[in-house]
Amino acid sequence: MRGRRMMGAGVALAVVASLGACSADDGTPTLTWYINPDAGGQERIAASCTEAADGAYRIETTLLPRDAASQREQLARRLAASDRSLDIMSLDPPFIPELAEPGFLAPVPDELQDTEGIVQGAVDSASWNDELVTVPFWANTQLLWYRESVVEEAGLDMSEPVTWDQIIEVAEENDLQLGVQGALAESLTVWVNALIASAGGEILETPDAPPKDMELGIDSDAGRAAAEVLQRIGENRLGGAGLPTANENASLNLFEGEQGSFMVNWPFVWPALNESSPEVADDLGWAVYPRMDADTPAAPPVGGINLGVGAFSENQDLAWQAVECIVQPENQAEYFVSDGNPPSNAAAYDDEAVQEEFPMADVIRESLDLGVPRPQTPYYNEISIGLQRTWHPPAGVDPDTTPETSQEFILAVLQGERLL
């Protein structure tokens, strides 16, 4: 394993108190679970697993910052300072290799290594160097959402896979708009990665190589096909006037409007539309992410949260016991219903409450088995920001130049020749 990598400016100088594992007044060991913000579901699971532990341990939750980049920075700094208070961590998948590579994550025990019944996209996002380094908790993916009235008028058969060309043509011919995320943000990386992967390519072809030996697949036929989609949507204003700043919520708002037709977005849109626009929800259909060509299955985006245990935790065995409780299918099913976060365990989708609350649950499960994570590398931050800088705004993307320029820029950044 390579030596420790510097995780952001000043991380080596971070001064963090290395807190030992604490115990409650009755002597019960207390595990700290650092959670991402949600609707309270993780706290409820912590309470349930504490009760099930019958005095073996108690789980207390500590809230991380709202955005993923700030979560990454906080955890990386504290782990680099050998903080012993990091027992269990809810981790955004793209940042897992960065924490695993320097040995900041405790090894996943054998009894939690079995991935049978876990959706493939979640397994891939929880792994590094072909080894499970975290445990899948909840997964996420984007679906293709559509107005049933629009596809009926267009004569599209949504029981069959559709392509980006098809939905773009419907929007062009009927003066409609597409809900996509073109902001200078992580959502743009998600879109570009899904397009390249759906075209049979890879942004990063050598994930475990050092920067000087990294090979990228952006300047490729797949990269040029992805650029054509962005260019066509951007130049023809199919994503609306606000496309260069459109995130997931903005594209949902566009889809709710009079010119809404199709949208690629996460499952949160289902409860959101039911609350804000019941008439649109009544006209809503869903399908797997669009294909790049009719004969090649799509590679939808993968997100979610995986659970890791800090390498410096003094209660690693108990922490893994708690993780095993947290990820039980019944907990995942309840979390999906309460907080809208899809399970990583395929069996949880068969839960009656899940099927009733999310009628598209089976499509989400199918999508997660097809899904492809963003580039798995300790240098993900450099690649993601490099992509955003070179593929923005969508209207400025040129299939003849953008993939080559993007690849050259990112490689120069990785090799210390350019700055982000």
Side-chain angles (χ1 to χ4, degrees):
M1 181 174 288
R2 297 191 298 273
R4 291 192 176 186
R5 172 176 175 259
M6 189 72 71
M7 298 188 186
V11 72
L13 300 178
V15 179
V16 182
S18 297
L19 304 174
C22 57
S23 298
D25 292 341
D26 60 2
T28 303
T30 298
L31 305 174
T32 305
W33 178 11
Y34 286 80
I35 62 172
N36 59 300
D38 63 5
Q42 290 172 101
E43 190 170 355
R44 288 190 293 273
I45 293 175
S48 175
C49 287
T50 294
E51 183 177 355
D54 195 24
Y57 57 78
R58 174 179 286 112
I59 305 174
E60 292 185 353
T61 60
T62 295
L63 198 61
L64 290 166
R66 178 157 297 278
D67 66 286
S70 297
Q71 293 170 24
R72 163 193 171 269
E73 181 178 5
Q74 182 180 126
L75 291 174
R77 285 177 177 273
R78 297 183 69 170
L79 286 165
S82 304
D83 192 332
R84 297 194 298 274
S85 74
L86 296 166
D87 296 314
I88 306 168
M89 298 169 286
S90 290
L91 300 173
D92 201 2
F95 304 126
I96 288 172
E98 183 180 9
L99 302 180
E101 178 69 5
F104 289 164
L105 301 179
V108 177
D110 292 342
E111 59 269 23
L112 289 174
Q113 287 281 349
D114 185 7
T115 58
E116 184 177 355
I118 307 300
V119 292
Q120 190 59 47
V123 174
D124 293 342
S125 73
S127 303
W128 171 239
N129 281 342
D130 298 320
E131 179 183 355
L132 198 72
V133 294
T134 55
V135 174
F137 174 30
W138 63 271
N140 211 356
T141 188
Q142 289 192 356
L143 301 185
L144 173 63
W145 307 87
Y146 59 88
R147 298 283 195 95
E148 291 185 333
S149 55
V150 169
V151 303
E152 183 178 356
E153 179 71 22
L156 275 183
D157 181 5
M158 298 304 294
S159 67
E160 298 292 332
V162 298
T163 65
W164 280 97
D165 280 343
Q166 286 177 296
I167 65 174
I168 288 172
E169 286 171 7
V170 169
E172 288 175 335
E173 293 171 2
N174 297 278
D175 192 26
L176 298 173
Q177 295 180 331
L178 303 173
V180 291
Q181 293 85 49
L184 186 65
E186 181 66 17
S187 55
L188 181 59
T189 300
V190 169
W191 188 20
V192 173
N193 183 70
L195 293 175
I196 291 177
S198 293
E202 294 178 292
I203 287 177
L204 177 60
E205 296 179 340
T206 54
D208 56 350
K212 66 182 181 64
D213 297 325
M214 277 190 176
E215 296 179 9
L216 303 183
I218 304 170
D219 185 15
S220 63
D221 289 343
R224 285 181 281 277
E228 288 174 5
V229 171
L230 266 74
Q231 180 190 55
R232 192 171 170 187
I233 292 175
E235 284 189 348
N236 295 332
R237 300 176 69 85
L238 300 179
L243 177 60
T245 59
N247 59 14
E248 292 86 350
N249 288 320
S251 57
L252 173 59
N253 292 336
L254 183 113
F255 181 78
E256 288 183 80
E258 293 182 357
Q259 291 179 283
S261 62
F262 297 90
M263 170 179 63
V264 288
N265 217 327
W266 310 96
F268 83 92
V269 304
W270 171 245
L273 283 173
N274 275 283
E275 182 176 344
S276 64
S277 301
E279 70 285 356
V280 176
D282 288 342
D283 190 34
L284 187 65
W286 45 83
V288 172
Y289 204 78
R291 295 184 174 192
M292 291 293 281
D293 69 77
D295 298 324
T296 305
V302 173
I305 289 293
N306 300 321
L307 300 180
V309 170
F312 309 104
S313 166
E314 295 183 337
N315 274 333
Q316 292 183 20
D317 290 344
L318 290 177
W320 286 123
Q321 290 178 34
V323 167
E324 186 173 13
C325 175
I326 291 167
V327 302
Q328 288 302 302
E330 57 269 26
N331 285 336
Q332 294 190 30
E334 183 177 344
Y335 190 47
F336 191 15
V337 172
S338 67
D339 288 51
N341 295 324
S344 63
N345 192 302
Y349 289 87
D350 296 326
D351 183 270
E352 185 176 339
V354 166
Q355 291 284 329
E356 182 177 351
E357 190 73 20
F358 291 90
M360 70 294 301
D362 292 339
V363 178
I364 294 174
R365 176 167 50 187
E366 177 186 359
S367 180
L368 284 166
D369 270 330
L370 292 169
V372 173
R374 281 156 277 174
Q376 299 289 97
T377 170
Y379 302 90
Y380 177 78
N381 197 53
E382 290 84 345
I383 291 176
S384 180
I385 294 177
L387 276 172
Q388 295 167 36
R389 296 280 174 85
T390 52
W391 289 69
H392 186 270
V397 171
D398 184 341
D400 293 329
T401 59
T402 298
E404 180 181 6
T405 300
S406 180
Q407 180 159 306
E408 290 177 351
F409 175 72
I410 293 171
L411 285 173
V413 169
L414 289 169
Q415 293 165 10
E417 299 169 0
R418 296 283 298 274
L419 296 176
L420 286 174

